Amino acid sequence: MPEPAVFSRTPTDRDRRQDLLLAVIMLVGAVISAALSSISGLYSDEQAPLWGALLVAVGLSAPLIVRRRYPALAAVVIALVMFTSVTLRVPEVYATNIAMFIALYTVGAWMIDRRRAFFVRAGIILGMFVWLIIVMYRDAIDEADKADVAAGLFSPFVAFMMLNLLINVLYFGGAYYFGERSWHAAAQRFVLEQRTAELEAERELTAAQAVALDRVRIARELHDVVAHHVSVMGVQAGAARLMIDRDPDEAKRMLSSVEDASREAIGDFRQLLETLREPGDGGSDEPSAVGLADLERLAQASTDAGLPTAFTEIGDPAAVPTTVGVNLYRIAQEALTNARRHGGSGATADVRLRWNRGAVELEIVNSGRTVGVLRPGLGQLGMRERALASGGEIELQPRPQGGFRVRVTVPIAAPPAFESLTWRHPGTGSDKVSDSKAGGGGVG
């Protein structure tokens, strides 16, 4: 499983274009603000020359071009420009405050090293507050001396200073808060995009697995149908060819069986095609119309095909899911097909269906040639897959006396049981105990 990607904000080309546009707007705004502030006499006689405002405008706007790529550098440069501008009484304060807010916000929103981002913002904010306190208190003392008023605790100038400090707390606190929120929101979007990508990959993998499972199911059905019917038709056609000169009537009967087998094969193929054409998710519980009730007919068809087959059902039948019935039928069909192929002349087969409490057992035993080495093929693989798909177990093993045994056991819901009932005989007053159980268990 791949390691989760680490969140990192990288400006895109669109972000860079937006930063360039912001810098141009800030430059124009700073020039207009400086002109209007100069005309209004923001700092009276202490006001710096207007050309200083142009330098401040350039110093504020230029760092904004690279604010997302180098947020710490842009913030430090703008802070220095702001400090110099206010100290020298440059007639521009509005664009400067906006640029400082954007710079602090960008450090919180875009700086990858979060520890460094904290110290950069804390250093700028702390330095600004120390500087503002010194400058504002000095101005307050100067104004108090001019007005011949003591600058005490409740001095109007001190109150004005405290008001400005409160405004700056909200100003810098807002820049810090919104920068952090932007970073965490981007991190959450990143995690959401990662999870969406993982879910999309899982969806594609699930779809591919569903297609593969459907292909396996189709291949298994085709193998079972083709192998069984072709084997029956081949055996009967060969026997008819040998009997056609000696016993034409028997040969005709065998050819008639071949014709019946071919019709049955066509019917099975039609059922399979109808199932594949049905809308749905491919998980139909009824891939064909056969089931446990058709085992006796299957045994008779095997006998007609040249392999004498006996069918025995032991115990009381219980309800089983359609899929389980189909899988057990196909296992019996494949086992009998293999017996016809490899059993040799004189081979026989027995199909036994046992209904036990909580399970159904199907056993197909055939006589014939001794199997030395078990060579698993597609047929045995298909039987194992069907047994596992039904939640059961299967045994595939050669018999020491010759032939082969296939035994599959599938658990089913046990029928409800009635507890022992005690009743009193009306004549004798003695107690009788009757053990009554619903359903029945067969013996193997």
Side-chain angles (χ1 to χ4, degrees), residues 208-229:
Q209 290 175 341
V211 171
L213 291 174
D214 218 25
R215 291 176 63 184
V216 170
R217 182 174 66 91
I218 295 169
R220 187 168 58 232
E221 287 289 326
L222 287 174
H223 173 270
D224 292 345
V225 173
V226 172
H228 171 70
H229 293 296

Side-chain angles (χ1 to χ4, degrees), residues 66 109 146 159 195 199 312 365 374 416:
V66 294
K146 292 178 183 179
R195 290 178 179 174
L199 289 175
T312 306
V365 180
L374 184 62

Side-chain angles (χ1 to χ4, degrees), residues 7-184:
F7 172 62
S8 175
R9 297 194 77 175
T10 303
T12 62
D13 293 337
R14 182 171 178 269
D15 293 332
R16 295 189 181 98
R17 289 193 297 269
Q18 288 180 343
D19 290 342
L20 178 60
L21 178 61
L22 176 63
V24 172
I25 294 174
M26 189 61 64
L27 177 62
V28 174
V31 170
I32 296 174
S33 174
L36 296 176
S37 298
S38 178
I39 294 172
S40 64
L42 180 64
Y43 291 114
S44 301
D45 297 336
E46 298 179 359
Q47 182 172 284
L50 190 59
W51 59 265
L54 296 177
L55 294 178
V56 169
V58 174
L60 294 176
S61 57
L64 294 178
I65 300 176
V66 294
R67 70 182 183 95
R68 299 190 217 225
R69 283 176 284 179
Y70 308 104
L73 177 62
V76 171
V77 170
I78 292 175
L80 291 175
V81 171
M82 182 179 183
F83 173 81
T84 304
S85 173
V86 176
T87 302
L88 298 179
R89 303 288 198 252
V90 176
E92 206 300 298
V93 293
Y94 303 106
T96 304
N97 286 326
I98 295 174
M100 189 72 256
F101 187 94
I102 294 174
L104 286 176
Y105 165 83
T106 304
V107 171
W110 284 87
M111 198 163 180
I112 298 174
D113 188 343
R114 304 310 296 168
R115 182 183 178 87
R116 188 181 171 198
F118 169 77
F119 284 116
V120 168
R121 288 176 294 174
I124 292 175
I125 293 173
L126 181 61
M128 284 290 181
F129 269 101
V130 172
W131 169 67
L132 284 173
I133 290 173
I134 294 173
V135 171
M136 293 173 67
Y137 190 77
R138 182 196 63 190
D139 292 345
I141 295 297
D142 292 343
E143 291 296 328
D145 291 339
K146 292 178 183 179
D148 196 20
V149 177
L153 181 62
F154 300 99
S155 167
F157 299 102
V158 175
F160 177 76
M161 180 184 68
M162 297 301 294
L163 178 62
N164 277 276
L165 283 176
L166 178 60
I167 293 174
N168 278 277
V169 167
L170 296 176
Y171 170 84
F172 288 109
Y176 192 101
Y177 171 75
F178 288 113
E180 283 293 306
R181 279 205 61 178
S182 177
W183 172 268
H184 290 299

Side-chain angles (χ1 to χ4, degrees), residues 3-4 25 32 61 94 98 100 182 200-201 229 232 256 306 351 361 404-405 410 431 439:
E3 292 291 332
I25 294 174
I32 296 174
S61 57
Y94 303 106
I98 295 174
M100 189 72 256
S182 177
E200 182 66 20
H229 293 296
V232 170
S256 177
V351 178
E361 180 183 287
F404 204 80
R405 172 183 284 108
V410 177
D431 292 340

Side-chain angles (χ1 to χ4, degrees), residues 393-443:
E393 299 176 349
I394 190 170
E395 300 176 16
L396 303 170
Q397 56 186 7
R399 303 171 67 203
Q401 65 271 36
F404 204 80
R405 172 183 284 108
V406 176
R407 179 187 291 130
V408 56
T409 304
V410 177
I412 58 175
F418 296 104
E419 297 297 331
S420 297
L421 302 178
T422 302
W423 57 281
R424 182 177 300 275
H425 194 280
T428 63
S430 61
D431 292 340
K432 301 290 184 179
V433 178
S434 172
D435 292 330
S436 175
K437 302 291 185 180
V443 293

Side-chain angles (χ1 to χ4, degrees), residues 115-341:
R115 182 183 178 87
R116 188 181 171 198
F118 169 77
F119 284 116
V120 168
R121 288 176 294 174
I124 292 175
I125 293 173
L126 181 61
M128 284 290 181
F129 269 101
V130 172
W131 169 67
L132 284 173
I133 290 173
I134 294 173
V135 171
M136 293 173 67
Y137 190 77
R138 182 196 63 190
D139 292 345
I141 295 297
D142 292 343
E143 291 296 328
D145 291 339
K146 292 178 183 179
D148 196 20
V149 177
L153 181 62
F154 300 99
S155 167
F157 299 102
V158 175
F160 177 76
M161 180 184 68
M162 297 301 294
L163 178 62
N164 277 276
L165 283 176
L166 178 60
I167 293 174
N168 278 277
V169 167
L170 296 176
Y171 170 84
F172 288 109
Y176 192 101
Y177 171 75
F178 288 113
E180 283 293 306
R181 279 205 61 178
S182 177
W183 172 268
H184 290 299
Q188 289 176 354
R189 285 196 303 271
F190 175 77
V191 172
L192 182 61
E193 289 172 358
Q194 267 202 320
R195 290 178 179 174
T196 302
E198 291 174 0
L199 289 175
E200 182 66 20
E202 290 180 3
R203 187 189 67 80
E204 293 178 358
L205 178 61
T206 302
Q209 290 175 341
V211 171
L213 291 174
D214 218 25
R215 291 176 63 184
V216 170
R217 182 174 66 91
I218 295 169
R220 187 168 58 232
E221 287 289 326
L222 287 174
H223 173 270
D224 292 345
V225 173
V226 172
H228 171 70
H229 293 296
V230 171
S231 174
V232 170
M233 289 186 288
V235 171
Q236 291 180 336
R241 181 175 58 83
L242 296 175
M243 296 292 294
I244 193 168
D245 293 330
R246 290 181 293 176
D247 193 346
D249 293 336
E250 182 64 19
K252 289 180 180 179
R253 188 191 66 79
M254 292 180 177
L255 290 175
S256 177
S257 298
V258 172
E259 184 179 358
D260 293 340
S262 66
R263 280 196 294 266
E264 186 177 355
I266 292 173
D268 285 348
F269 277 119
R270 182 176 291 111
Q271 289 173 353
L272 180 59
L273 290 175
E274 289 175 354
T275 301
L276 296 178
R277 287 172 179 168
E278 287 179 358
D281 59 358
S284 174
D285 282 345
E286 194 170 355
S288 63
V290 295
L292 296 180
D294 300 295
L295 286 177
E296 187 171 3
R297 180 176 59 83
L298 178 64
Q300 183 59 46
S302 177
T303 300
D304 295 340
L307 177 68
T309 304
F311 173 75
T312 306
E313 185 172 8
I314 304 170
D316 297 329
V320 297
T322 305
T323 302
V324 173
V326 172
N327 287 336
L328 292 178
Y329 177 90
R330 293 300 187 192
I331 290 173
Q333 188 181 60
E334 178 63 24
L336 293 176
T337 299
N338 291 338
R340 279 193 300 274
R341 287 179 178 174

